[in-house]
Structures are given as structure tokens and as C-alpha cells.
Amino acid sequence: MFTGFRRILFGDPLPTASEEEQRLTKLKALAVFSSDALSSVAYATEEILLVLVMAGTAYLSLSVPVALAITTLAVIVAISYYQTVHGYPSGGGAYVVAEENLGKWPGLVAAAALLIGYVLTVSVSIAAGVEAVTSAIPALFPYRVELCLAATALIMWANLRGIKESGTVFAIPTYGFILILLALIAAGVFRVATGSLAPVSTEAAPQSGGAQPVMPFLLLRTFASGCAALTGIEAISNGVPAFKKPEARNAGITLIAMAVLLGIMFLGITFLASSLGIAPTGGETVVSQIGRHVFGSGPPYLFLQAATALILVLAANTSFVSFPRLSAILAQSRYLPNQLTSLGDRLVFNNGIFALALSSAVLIVIFGGDTHQLVPLYAVGVFLSFTLSQTGMVRHWCRKGQRGWQWKALINGVGAAATGLVTIIVLVANFLRGAWIVALLIPAFVWMFQAIKRYYSSVARQLSLEDLEPREWMDVSDCRSHKIVVPISGMHQGTLAALHFARSMSTDVTAVIVDVEPERTTRVREKWPVWGHGLPLVALESPYRSVIRPLLSYLKKVDQRDPERGLAVVVLPEFVPPHWWNHLFHNQTAILFKAILTYQRGKTGKGRVVINVPYHLERR
Amino acid sequence: MFTGFRRILFGDPLPTASEEEQRLTKLKALAVFSSDALSSVAYATEEILLVLVMAGTAYLSLSVPVALAITTLAVIVAISYYQTVHGYPSGGGAYVVAEENLGKWPGLVAAAALLIGYVLTVSVSIAAGVEAVTSAIPALFPYRVELCLAATALIMWANLRGIKESGTVFAIPTYGFILILLALIAAGVFRVATGSLAPVSTEAAPQSGGAQPVMPFLLLRTFASGCAALTGIEAISNGVPAFKKPEARNAGITLIAMAVLLGIMFLGITFLASSLGIAPTGGETVVSQIGRHVFGSGPPYLFLQAATALILVLAANTSFVSFPRLSAILAQSRYLPNQLTSLGDRLVFNNGIFALALSSAVLIVIFGGDTHQLVPLYAVGVFLSFTLSQTGMVRHWCRKGQRGWQWKALINGVGAAATGLVTIIVLVANFLRGAWIVALLIPAFVWMFQAIKRYYSSVARQLSLEDLEPREWMDVSDCRSHKIVVPISGMHQGTLAALHFARSMSTDVTAVIVDVEPERTTRVREKWPVWGHGLPLVALESPYRSVIRPLLSYLKKVDQRDPERGLAVVVLPEFVPPHWWNHLFHNQTAILFKAILTYQRGKTGKGRVVINVPYHLERR
């Protein structure tokens, strides 16, 4: 029915066997998996300056040392993850590593932190991308939320088409962003060094001479805000199986390339902002201010903004690759609903993609598409998962005892200690500004995982054949032994079809009519001798005009007769009108009745069988 | 399940036999049926002044002659309807009268006009009632729409409890309003006559000396706006059967009483507004201004506002009595969906009550609960139905030729001519201010009535037994001849129950599994020799991972084998989880599959029988 429309939107269905062909080259993988990490350059510096400027413009020069500390952290985390990629070529990231090495509970905590992090990545990236656009075109500022939602829908659509095409779609903007940003930094640093570029305002320029008292908590909050730069650095380790063979080696090389690019770009932008004395303003982003100052307002500046917006909006794509993958892994372990495991006909996990898009859209609406409000929620989950993952890796190397395991364990141990410390810093520094939400959500998710698992286990136990004796099930009674009840509302062709089928199933068939309209009952009685198949007809009284209650009490009576023959089987005549909305013109009592019947069960626990005999109406 | 809750809300169910006892005395009937007509006094004068004040405050004195003209019209209409009550003691009002005497089409036009009028009555009355409250308590002004919706819900609830209790609930406020308004008029007129009450502002006071040029269109628009005072005057003629016996006589007396009260109150308020030089303002109603001026701001004023608000909100009740009644009559003639004919267990037409409340709420939201925007839509439908009803009565008397039929026909003829002229006036005067909406909706409704009728006729023709030969239907084949297909997704107790039932129905049973997960298929194959009831098991390939498509094409093949044995019957195993939301944890493919099967039909036109075998899961 919708096949044609679906194909145009999502492409032809792909057979299961072609899964292998959908792998990514290193160049495409860098585009798909690094957009999140690299694009955070667009807002991380700004978050640092935002904290400093509140303490006073004189503190702005602290941004460079803070950025250096964060870059050092990035190097530690990247080296740690390089080892993860080689230790776990099958992917799964923090969840798999924590679960296998630390046990169920740390695994579930990591999974919760990751899922929440993915949702926030989409919201933050899209909000920041839209801010890049509104910096260049202030007239669009009032439509931020609408633009965010449109971008979310667009990325969802790209991902429903499948991962390989995503690689192609996203490579150009990612590389465009890398090139223009490196050009901006090169031009800016050269002109600052040669003295041909003056600061934006002398007032805000760094005062190298005047020593200022530095408050420790200010530094911690600045550091915590800047840590947003590291989000997304783990994406590659989750997605190793999406690389072409040899997966681990290719993924490792891509990870190093990404970390180097990230460091250069983050330090470069922070240095320029500091040198040019740029402070965050309400309407224009810091990168936009730098760009305008270095490039002027011509085509290079516009290209910078366009590339920033695109990579940010596309950064959300990292999550659209990882979230459905992790959901499917969790669902396979029965921690999430089963539907998340099924591949769509374009070989992507449709349900996970929908769930992610919906959650992110909700966050965007709640926080009005404002990056500064979303960022404080962001780092807690991300660094918690880093910590669990690195700790798991330490355990992994200790257990395996390969050659050089001590070095490997030490490297991951340093990573775990560093990220663990940062987790505490970002939680404390941002607690009141939103991190508490995440601190509540993570245990809530873990509880939900457990509840879902418990439900599925209970279902599996109840369905199990283990304690059953095959012989007693094989004992098939004669078909004519079913007690059949056919509720009718009049004597017409629809009724005839149902009676005919019931008659063919058993010799014990009773037709019943609820006497709500005496005239109708009389008409049925008159026609019964000719059309009643010789079956008994019972009219049920209904002083309160309810159709369902008299039927239910009649069924109860039939059930109690010869209970060893089981519950009475109900044969329901059903109209099938030519259009779905024609159902409005028919009483929907049958639907409610059927729902009630479905929930009824006999003393042995067996349910009541309901047989639908459709009668098709045409458009005439 | 919900029985206890329902009883508390709606009272005990009432048996059909007690319908007679629910009749109304004249006093209660006046409260139930006249609140609409009488309460229009609260806004009709204001609508007149609103038009005049736009032309200039000097024109305000024209309100008294215009009100006199409208009162004359009211007398004509009331006398006309007095005859209708006696000519049609069975009720049904304009629709029945027009349909019986003028034919199908005028009847349907009248019905459309009436239904639209009822919805508008609810919206306008509730909006005006809330305005009476916000006049006294300006702080509530921003919550107008919310208050309107709450009031709508309240009246809906009162009506779902049933008509007799409505009479009791509504008698006190109606009579309270009548008394306080008569007291206001008496006190006001006395003080104006004795010269002890000065006009509000000398500027807006009537300038008896200065002759002003009067524009004809201004007079027409003023008249058209004031005609809102007549809305509701027909309610009694629709509700004659709700009166105690003798119905027609009691209804006639009640009608006259209502018309006299309406005339006195409308003229009195208009006279006072004119004498006191009161002009409409944005925030306070005209009646509130008069009340404050005559009574001061003490308890009598507050009682006036409370009574006005209550009667207006209750006026909507007139429609909640009439709308479901008319809908049921139309539905009995198959012009509206069948569900509207069924009496709920409190002997009221639940579905009609819901439909009315919903439509009115939508109007309130669209027009922001503003009376002045709703009134221009109001009069067209009302006067159109008046005209059709009176014209029908002329025809009625001519046909019957009773004693004095000439006089009766003449009276109704005058009524028809007057209301017909007014219909044209209100349509033209308010066309651009909203009457066009009603002018479009009426033909749309008539088209809808026809389409529904056509649908039901087509269904009746298709269901008819007339051209059928009973013998060919009596020929029942052996139960074992059905071709049965059981789709399974695994080998468990739910599957067993379905196979067991299928096996008991026929010897030709095939189990099919779609091979989406090869491991699962292998597990089923392994268990089959023990648990398969000796039935054949077919595994269907599915390269694109769709479950439904391979099943459909397999069914097609089975259908084509021995086509004289009919379509294959599908037996579906179905989980019944302990809570409805547990369905989230199960694939819902079965529901979609079943919907598709229901729409399939064989070459002979017979539908496909689907058998549900439920398997109950417990909370363990």
C-alpha cells in the first residue's frame, strides 16, 4: 500500500545477506563517528568563557591554561580508548566492557549513562548548530526551537535510509568544517603573531601584568564546563564493527587522527578567543565572533558558519549510529523491549532511531533549544561511562595477562582515575544547574532495565515446555465437542456467515440475541425457522440496555455446563466496511466485548477462544 | 471494573421501564427549557448597544425602539410556536415539522440549522456566563477559556446523570435569576421615574432634542444583533414529550409564561441601559454596569452577577436536552450514526451529550471564549429553522382542514414571513463577521446526512436475505474440511494451545514459521517431533526480514489449493499479558497481520476466518 512512498523516502529494502557490504572506510568512518567530538569545539570554548566572564573579564585569560588541562585529559582518554578498540574489536563500548569485566550492575549503570548521553548529544549539537545559524542570520533567532526540531527530523530520516549512505552524506560537511577551522586558526594565529590583528576590545584584552586572585571553585567550574569538548571521543570504540576489515586497526588509526584534530582545533580556538579578547554575548557565538574578526563578514565567514552549523547538526548523527546499536544489545539481553532488536528493511534499527529522535525533541522543547542550559546536564553521564569503561579495561588486562599487560593496565588505570575525578568535578560543579536530573535518571534507568528483564524472565518461565508432559497435549478431542455461542444482533447475511461457520465446527452451537429492541428480536424470531440452521436461539433480557453484561452472564452459564469440555468458544460476526472510517457508523460493542473475552480464563488457566467471521461490505 | 466509580459519578443505572417516571412538571420544565431564552437578556441588549456605539454615542437612544421591534417579533414567534406545540405534541420541533410538511430537503436543512444552533447556544451561553463572572472579578479575566471549558464539562456531567435531576439542579438558579432581574428592573425604573437615579455619564446620556440622521443599514445591523434575544424560544416545542401529561397543554402554558417573562426582562434592561446612558466597555457587561449603578457594589449586585452567570451557564443545558434528542431522531432515520440512538444506562443519550460538549468546547477554544465573536454566527441558523418550522405549520393546517384552519394558517404564515425576512437580515448584516461559516456548514451538514443515509441503505441492501436461497446455506460441510494455518514464532506453551485448538478443528492443519532468526527456527525444528502434534511444519524464507509478507504469500498458495474448500482459516496464538502496558514488551506484528487478514476476501466474496487462541501470562 505505502510501498511506493516508502521506497522513495527510504530507498529499496536491503536483504539480510548484504549486511557485510555496508561497512565504512576510514575516511567515511571519521566523518560519521568524529563529528560529535570535533564539533564540540564550536561550543566548548564558549562554555569556558561563559563561566570566567561571570567572575570578571580579567579572568578571561585563564581560558588558555584550562584548555591545556582539558587537552591533556583528552590525550589520556584517547590513549585509553585506543586500547579499548584493540581489546574489544566487537564493539559495544562502555556497556560491554563494564558488564564483562565489572559485572552486571556497573554494566547497567554504564548503559544508562550512555543512553542519556546520546540523547543529550543530539539535543546539544542541534541546539548549538542552530545557534551558529542564528549568529549569522539574527532574524532566525525567534524560530530556534522550530529549526532544531526540523533538523532532528532530517537526521532521523537520513539514518532511516541506512548507515552507508549516511557516511556519504556526512563526509563533505565534516571535512569542510575541519578545513575551514584549520584555515581560521592558521590565519588568526599568523596575524596575531605578526601583530596585524588587534583585539576586539581593549577592555577585555588579556592583562598579562596584573595578577588576579584565582578562586579554586571558579577554576573547577570552568574546567567542568570545558569538559564538554571531550564528549563523543568514545564513539569510535562503540562502532568498531562498522569499519572495514581489519576493523580494530582501522578504528584505532581513525581514533588517533580524530584526537589530534580535536586537540589542535580546541586549543587554537581558545587561544584566538583569548588573544582577541572575545567574550561571550547573548546573540552571537564565540566562534562566529572570531570568524567575523579574522575573515570579515564575507564568503569565508559565511562558509565557516555554514560548516559549523552543518557539522553540529550532523554531530547528532553519532548518536543516531550508537544509540540504536546499544539499545539493540540491551534488548537482546532483555533489558529493553524486544522491538529494539529488529533490523528494518534498510538494515538499520528503526525503533531505536525513532526513540532517540523523540527523546531529543522533547529535551529541545523543554529547554527551549538553549545550549547553555543543556550543557550542564551533559558531561556527568559521559564521564561516568568513561570511568566505568576504563576501570573495566584495567580488569580486562589483569585477567588476560597478555605480554605487557602491566603497561596496558597502568595506562587504562590512569585514564580511569582521571575520568573518575572529572566525573565528581562535573557532578558537583553543575549539580544545581541540571546535573541532578541526570543523577536521578541514571538509577531510574537501571531500575527500568531490571524490571523489564524480570518481566521477560517471568514470561519465559511461563511459556517453558520443561515441566509439561507431551502426551496430555496430544490428546485431541473431537471437533464436534466444542461448545459454541454465536451472539447476533439481527438476521442478515453477516449473521448467516457466522452461523454457517459455527455449524461447520461443532454440533453444539447456540445463537443468542440480547433483547434491547423488542421489535428486532421479534423479526429475528420470525426468520429463524428458515434461516436458523436448525440451531437453538436464546433471547437474553436486558433491563438496563447493556448488550455485554447479559452475554457475559450467559457465557458463564455455558462454561459451567460440562466443564471438562472447556470454556465456550465465541463466534463473532464482524462487518468489514469498505473504508476504515466507516467503522464510525457501526456499533463498536463487538470490539469491547472481544477485549473482555480475551481477558477471561477458565479454571485450568486456559483462555477463551474467539473466532471472527468477517462479512465484507462493498461501496455500492 | 469501573462500575463503582461510574455509579458515584452518574448514579445507579435505570431500567427501561422507568422512562415514563422521568417527566417534568411545568415549574421544572420552565427551568430546564427556558434558561436559554431568558438568559439571552444578559447579552442581547449589549449586542445592540455595541453596534450603535460604533456609529456614535448619540445613537445609543435608538436601542429602545429596536428592542420594541424585537419584542414584537418575539410575540409573533411565540404565538406561532404555541400552535406548533398543539399541532405536534410528539415533539421534534422544526425538523419534524419541516420534514413532514415540506419534504425531505427542507427537513434536513432545518435539522442542520438546529444542530449548529444548539452547539452555538452552548458556546455563547457559557462564554457570556463567564463574562458575568469576570465583570465582578476582573482578576479571572485571563482564565476565561479555562473557566468556559470547566463549565462545559460540568453541564455535560449533570446531563449524563439524567434529565429529572437536571430539572431539580437547574430550577433554583433560573428562578433566582428571574427574581433578581425583575427586582433590578423594578428598582431601576422606579428610581429613574422618580428622578432619584442620575445617568452614568452625561456625555453618553440620551440627547432627546438633537435629531440625528439614521442610516438604514445601521438599524438593520442593530436589529440583527439584538435578535440573539429570541434564540431558545423554540426549545419547548422540541421537548413536549418531556412534560407531564397532558403534554401539549402544559407545554403551551409554559411557553406563554416564558415569552411574557422574556419580553418584560429584555425591554426593561434595554430601557434602563438607555436611560442611564450605559455604553458597552471591554471588561464589564452592560447588565453588570446597570446592576452596579442601581444596587451599588454590595450583596444584591453580587447576587445579580452570580445568578446571571449561573443561568447563562445553565442555559447551555437547553441544548444538552434538545441536541441529543434531535440527533437520536435523525439517527433513527439513518441520517446520523446509529450510536446516537442508544439510551445510556441513566436513560439519556450519552453519545449525543458527548458530541455536543466536544463541539462546543472546540468553538470556545477557536473564538477564545468571546461572546461578541460568537454571536454573529448564532442567529442565522436559529431563524432559518424558525422559518422552516412556521412554513411547515402553514402547510400542516392547510392539509388538515380542521375548524378554524384559516386562522391558524394565517398566524403561522405571519410568523414564517417575519422570521424569513429576519433570516435574510441577519445573514446579510453579519455575513462577513462570521455568518458565512454557518452558511457553508448548513449545506455541508445536509450533504453529510445524505451520505450517511446512503451508506446505511447500501449496507442494508448487502445484508438483505431477500435474494438468497436458504438451502444452499444449510449445506454444512464437515468440520474436518477446513484448511488451517497456524503461524508460530517459537515453540512454547502459547504455541501449544493454538496447535491444540487447530488440531481439534480439522485434520488439515499446517504450522508455519517465518525464518527471520535462523537459530530460533532450528530450535523449533528440534522440538517439533515431540511437541508438533504430528503436524507438518513449514519454514518460510524472508530475505528482507518481513514477517507478514511471506505469511501472506504462503496463505495465497493454500487458498488456491482446492478452492472449493474456501479460504484458509488462520489460528493465531495470542499472549494476554497481565497489564495492558505490558503489550509494549511484545511485538505487535500479530495485530497488523490480523487487520490485513480481516480485509482479505475470497473469490466468492467470503472473508477470511481468524481464530484467536489466547494464552494468559501472569504476574509472577
Side-chain angles (χ1 to χ4, degrees):
Chain A
M1 295 179 280
F2 297 107
T3 317
F5 183 64
R6 280 186 59 190
R7 291 212 170 170
I8 292 168
L9 265 182
F10 303 116
D12 287 323
L14 299 171
T16 317
S18 71
E19 199 169 6
E20 184 71 22
E21 296 163 23
Q22 303 289 314
R23 298 299 187 86
L24 297 166
T25 62
K26 285 196 285 296
L27 270 179
K28 278 192 181 172
L30 186 67
V32 168
F33 289 116
S34 77
S35 51
D36 178 14
L38 296 185
S39 67
S40 48
V41 167
Y43 52 85
T45 302
E46 177 153 356
E47 296 298 326
I48 290 177
L49 296 177
L50 207 68
V51 178
L52 291 174
V53 82
M54 281 187 289
T57 48
Y59 290 100
L60 285 177
S61 59
L62 282 176
S63 58
V64 175
V66 169
L68 274 170
I70 291 170
T71 309
T72 312
L73 183 63
V75 171
I76 296 172
V77 173
I79 293 174
S80 262
Y81 269 111
Y82 183 83
Q83 299 207 66
T84 307
V85 164
H86 282 91
Y88 279 88
S90 58
Y95 166 64
V96 171
V97 175
E99 204 267 340
E100 280 190 15
N101 297 295
L102 305 177
K104 186 178 101 174
W105 295 104
L108 292 183
V109 172
L114 283 170
L115 290 182
I116 293 169
Y118 292 143
V119 173
L120 279 161
T121 301
V122 175
S123 305
V124 169
S125 302
I126 288 180
V130 168
E131 273 165 20
V133 172
T134 55
S135 290
I137 314 170
L140 290 177
F141 193 73
Y143 306 105
R144 276 169 304 166
V145 174
E146 288 84 349
L147 287 170
C148 287
L149 296 179
T152 312
L154 191 77
I155 303 180
M156 181 181 83
W157 166 75
N159 277 279
L160 288 173
R161 283 197 65 105
I163 187 174
K164 180 135 182 214
E165 292 188 17
S166 307
T168 313
V169 169
F170 298 155
I172 298 166
T174 304
Y175 288 110
F177 175 76
I178 294 172
L179 290 181
I180 187 75
L181 216 77
L182 292 179
L184 173 70
I185 292 166
V189 170
F190 177 79
R191 290 182 61 191
V192 166
T194 58
S196 65
L197 196 65
V200 174
S201 71
T202 43
E203 177 210 353
Q207 294 142 318
S208 46
Q212 300 282 341
V214 173
M215 295 162 285
F217 193 70
L218 174 68
L219 269 182
L220 285 185
R221 272 198 55 199
T222 314
F223 180 79
S225 296
C227 279
L230 263 70
T231 55
I233 207 164
E234 83 295 350
I236 288 176
S237 74
N238 300 337
V240 182
F243 281 79
K244 279 197 190 294
K245 288 180 180 174
E247 291 93 348
R249 193 171 160 271
N250 286 330
I253 295 171
T254 311
L255 173 60
I256 298 297
M258 181 181 83
V260 169
L261 280 170
L262 175 62
I264 294 173
M265 285 155 64
F266 178 53
L267 280 177
I269 288 294
T270 309
F271 172 77
L272 281 181
S274 172
S275 308
L276 299 176
I278 282 169
T281 66
E284 188 173 6
T285 66
V286 165
V287 172
S288 167
Q289 291 182 61
I290 298 174
R292 212 187 280 272
H293 201 60
V294 173
F295 286 149
S297 292
Y301 165 72
L302 292 175
F303 185 81
L304 170 70
Q305 288 308 103
T308 309
L310 267 181
I311 199 183
L312 272 163
V313 170
L314 300 185
N317 189 60
T318 313
S319 293
F320 275 93
V321 176
S322 308
F323 181 99
R325 235 175 244 279
L326 177 58
S327 307
I329 292 173
L330 288 168
Q332 247 142 24
S333 308
R334 299 297 195 185
Y335 288 118
L336 281 178
N338 199 30
Q339 291 92 317
L340 292 164
T341 60
S342 57
L343 283 169
D345 54 13
R346 292 284 296 176
L347 286 175
V348 293
F349 298 106
N350 290 334
N351 290 323
I353 292 172
F354 284 124
L356 176 60
L358 189 70
S359 320
S360 312
V362 168
L363 270 189
I364 287 169
V365 171
I366 291 177
F367 289 96
D370 182 356
T371 322
H372 304 315
Q373 285 193 48
L374 285 163
V375 164
L377 281 71
Y378 196 8
V380 184
V382 172
F383 277 88
L384 181 57
S385 69
F386 286 175
T387 311
L388 288 166
S389 164
Q390 307 311 331
T391 313
M393 286 310 291
V394 174
R395 191 82 188 279
H396 175 78
W397 301 124
C398 294
R399 271 188 187 168
K400 275 196 136 183
Q402 289 168 319
R403 194 167 59 87
W405 68 268
Q406 295 93 335
W407 273 108
K408 290 179 174 171
L410 181 66
I411 293 173
N412 281 125
V414 171
T419 51
L421 186 65
V422 175
T423 306
I424 295 167
I425 292 174
V426 293
L427 180 63
V428 172
N430 293 327
F431 194 78
L432 292 178
R433 293 191 303 146
W436 64 271
I437 300 173
V438 178
L440 284 180
L441 275 182
I442 288 176
F445 268 56
V446 172
W447 176 86
M448 182 188 73
F449 293 151
Q450 272 299 105
I452 291 174
K453 175 103 177 179
R454 218 179 305 122
Y455 176 77
Y456 279 121
S457 310
S458 151
V459 169
R461 252 180 294 136
Q462 291 180 53
L463 291 178
S464 163
L465 302 176
E466 284 207 348
D467 302 329
L468 285 187
E469 182 55 52
R471 205 155 323 154
E472 62 188 61
W473 278 88
M474 293 304 115
D475 172 31
V476 168
S477 51
D478 186 79
C479 63
R480 306 199 171 270
S481 76
H482 290 297
K483 296 178 282 190
I484 299 195
V485 173
V486 188
I488 63 173
S489 63
M491 197 64 234
H492 50 65
Q493 290 199 34
T495 315
L496 274 189
L499 290 173
H500 192 71
F501 187 84
R503 195 63 195 70
S504 80
M505 264 195 67
S506 170
T507 45
D508 184 358
V509 178
T510 314
V512 287
I513 183 164
V514 181
D515 185 18
V516 182
E517 273 181 52
E519 297 148 40
R520 212 198 305 169
T521 312
T522 309
R523 281 202 304 276
V524 171
R525 275 198 204 285
E526 282 166 8
K527 290 181 182 165
W528 200 252
V530 181
W531 295 102
H533 285 71
L535 301 172
L537 171 69
V538 175
L540 303 174
E541 276 185 26
S542 177
Y544 297 100
R545 291 166 310 286
S546 162
V547 174
I548 291 178
R549 268 175 262 178
L551 282 176
L552 290 178
S553 50
Y554 179 76
L555 279 177
K556 211 171 175 182
K557 262 187 274 171
V558 178
D559 290 340
Q560 281 158 357
R561 169 161 61 80
D562 309 337
E564 74 286 355
R565 284 164 65 197
L567 295 188
V569 172
V570 176
V571 173
L572 281 180
E574 181 185 24
F575 287 136
V576 182
H579 306 289
W580 64 265
W581 44 263
N582 292 144
H583 280 291
L584 265 181
F585 303 130
H586 301 280
N587 251 317
Q588 297 310 312
T589 318
I591 292 175
L592 181 60
F593 184 51
K594 214 169 136 188
I596 294 174
L597 292 182
T598 301
Y599 274 89
Q600 288 191 328
R601 51 197 303 192
K603 275 173 192 158
T604 59
K606 275 200 180 180
R608 187 185 303 284
V609 174
V610 177
I611 301 181
N612 275 86
V613 181
Y615 184 78
H616 288 266
L617 297 171
E618 278 165 35
R619 209 188 153 175
R620 282 197 214 149
Chain B
M1 298 179 279
F2 297 106
T3 317
F5 183 62
R6 281 185 59 191
R7 289 213 173 172
I8 292 167
L9 264 182
F10 303 116
D12 286 323
L14 298 171
T16 317
S18 70
E19 199 170 4
E20 185 71 21
E21 297 163 22
Q22 301 290 312
R23 300 298 187 85
L24 297 166
T25 62
K26 284 196 286 294
L27 269 179
K28 279 192 180 171
L30 185 67
V32 168
F33 289 115
S34 77
S35 51
D36 178 14
L38 296 185
S39 67
S40 48
V41 167
Y43 52 85
T45 301
E46 178 153 357
E47 296 298 325
I48 290 178
L49 296 176
L50 206 70
V51 178
L52 290 174
V53 82
M54 281 187 290
T57 46
Y59 290 100
L60 285 176
S61 59
L62 281 177
S63 59
V64 175
V66 169
L68 274 171
I70 291 169
T71 308
T72 312
L73 182 64
V75 170
I76 296 172
V77 173
I79 293 173
S80 262
Y81 269 111
Y82 183 84
Q83 298 209 63
T84 307
V85 165
H86 286 274
Y88 278 89
S90 59
Y95 166 64
V96 171
V97 174
E99 204 268 341
E100 281 192 14
N101 297 294
L102 305 176
K104 187 177 101 174
W105 295 104
L108 293 182
V109 171
L114 283 170
L115 290 182
I116 294 170
Y118 292 144
V119 174
L120 279 162
T121 300
V122 175
S123 305
V124 168
S125 302
I126 288 179
V130 168
E131 274 165 19
V133 172
T134 56
S135 291
I137 315 168
L140 290 176
F141 193 72
Y143 306 104
R144 274 170 304 166
V145 174
E146 288 84 350
L147 288 170
C148 287
L149 295 179
T152 311
L154 191 77
I155 303 179
M156 183 181 81
W157 166 75
N159 277 278
L160 288 173
R161 283 197 66 106
I163 187 172
K164 181 139 182 209
E165 293 186 18
S166 305
T168 312
V169 169
F170 298 155
I172 297 166
T174 305
Y175 288 110
F177 175 75
I178 294 173
L179 288 181
I180 187 75
L181 216 77
L182 292 179
L184 174 70
I185 292 168
V189 170
F190 177 79
R191 288 180 61 191
V192 166
T194 56
S196 64
L197 196 66
V200 175
S201 72
T202 43
E203 175 210 355
Q207 293 142 319
S208 48
Q212 301 281 339
V214 176
M215 294 161 286
F217 193 69
L218 174 68
L219 269 182
L220 284 186
R221 273 197 54 200
T222 314
F223 179 79
S225 296
C227 279
L230 264 68
T231 55
I233 207 164
E234 82 296 351
I236 288 176
S237 75
N238 300 337
V240 183
F243 282 79
K244 278 199 192 291
K245 288 181 180 175
E247 292 93 348
R249 192 170 160 275
N250 287 331
I253 293 170
T254 312
L255 173 61
I256 297 298
M258 179 180 85
V260 170
L261 281 170
L262 175 63
I264 294 172
M265 285 155 65
F266 179 51
L267 279 178
I269 289 294
T270 310
F271 171 76
L272 282 181
S274 172
S275 309
L276 301 175
I278 283 168
T281 67
E284 188 174 6
T285 64
V286 164
V287 171
S288 167
Q289 292 183 59
I290 297 175
R292 213 187 281 274
H293 201 60
V294 172
F295 286 150
S297 291
Y301 165 72
L302 291 175
F303 184 81
L304 170 70
Q305 287 309 102
T308 309
L310 268 181
I311 198 182
L312 271 163
V313 170
L314 299 185
N317 189 59
T318 314
S319 291
F320 275 92
V321 175
S322 307
F323 181 99
R325 235 175 243 279
L326 177 58
S327 305
I329 292 173
L330 288 169
Q332 248 143 22
S333 309
R334 298 297 195 185
Y335 287 119
L336 281 177
N338 199 29
Q339 292 93 313
L340 292 164
T341 59
S342 57
L343 282 169
D345 55 14
R346 292 283 296 177
L347 287 174
V348 293
F349 298 106
N350 290 334
N351 291 322
I353 291 172
F354 284 125
L356 176 60
L358 189 70
S359 320
S360 311
V362 168
L363 269 189
I364 286 170
V365 170
I366 292 179
F367 289 96
D370 182 356
T371 322
H372 303 316
Q373 285 193 48
L374 285 163
V375 163
L377 281 72
Y378 196 8
V380 184
V382 172
F383 276 89
L384 182 56
S385 69
F386 285 176
T387 312
L388 288 165
S389 165
Q390 307 313 328
T391 313
M393 286 310 291
V394 174
R395 190 81 189 278
H396 175 78
W397 301 124
C398 294
R399 271 188 186 169
K400 277 197 135 182
Q402 290 167 317
R403 197 166 57 86
W405 66 269
Q406 296 94 336
W407 273 108
K408 292 179 173 172
L410 182 67
I411 292 173
N412 281 123
V414 171
T419 52
L421 187 65
V422 174
T423 306
I424 296 167
I425 292 174
V426 293
L427 181 63
V428 172
N430 293 328
F431 194 78
L432 293 178
R433 294 191 301 147
W436 64 271
I437 301 173
V438 177
L440 285 180
L441 275 182
I442 289 175
F445 268 56
V446 171
W447 176 85
M448 183 188 73
F449 293 151
Q450 271 301 104
I452 292 174
K453 174 103 179 180
R454 219 180 304 123
Y455 176 78
Y456 279 121
S457 309
S458 152
V459 169
R461 251 179 296 138
Q462 292 180 53
L463 291 178
S464 162
L465 301 176
E466 286 213 342
D467 303 331
L468 286 186
E469 181 56 52
R471 207 155 323 152
E472 62 187 62
W473 278 89
M474 294 303 114
D475 173 32
V476 168
S477 52
D478 187 78
C479 65
R480 307 199 170 270
S481 76
H482 290 297
K483 296 178 281 188
I484 299 196
V485 173
V486 189
I488 64 174
S489 63
M491 197 64 232
H492 49 64
Q493 292 198 34
T495 316
L496 273 189
L499 289 174
H500 192 72
F501 186 84
R503 193 63 193 73
S504 80
M505 263 195 68
S506 170
T507 46
D508 184 358
V509 178
T510 313
V512 287
I513 182 164
V514 180
D515 185 19
V516 183
E517 274 182 51
E519 298 147 40
R520 211 196 307 169
T521 312
T522 310
R523 280 203 304 275
V524 172
R525 275 196 204 287
E526 282 167 8
K527 290 181 183 163
W528 200 252
V530 180
W531 295 104
H533 285 71
L535 300 171
L537 172 70
V538 175
L540 303 174
E541 277 185 26
S542 177
Y544 297 101
R545 294 166 306 287
S546 162
V547 174
I548 292 178
R549 268 175 263 177
L551 281 176
L552 290 178
S553 51
Y554 177 76
L555 279 178
K556 211 171 173 181
K557 262 187 274 171
V558 178
D559 291 340
Q560 281 157 359
R561 169 162 62 79
D562 310 339
E564 74 287 355
R565 285 165 64 198
L567 295 188
V569 171
V570 176
V571 173
L572 281 181
E574 182 184 24
F575 287 138
V576 183
H579 304 290
W580 64 264
W581 45 264
N582 291 145
H583 280 292
L584 264 181
F585 303 129
H586 301 280
N587 252 317
Q588 297 310 311
T589 318
I591 292 175
L592 181 60
F593 184 51
K594 214 169 136 190
I596 295 173
L597 291 183
T598 301
Y599 274 90
Q600 288 192 328
R601 52 197 302 193
K603 275 172 192 159
T604 58
K606 274 197 181 179
R608 189 186 300 285
V609 175
V610 178
I611 301 182
N612 275 84
V613 181
Y615 183 79
H616 288 265
L617 297 171
E618 276 164 38
R619 206 185 157 178
R620 284 199 212 147

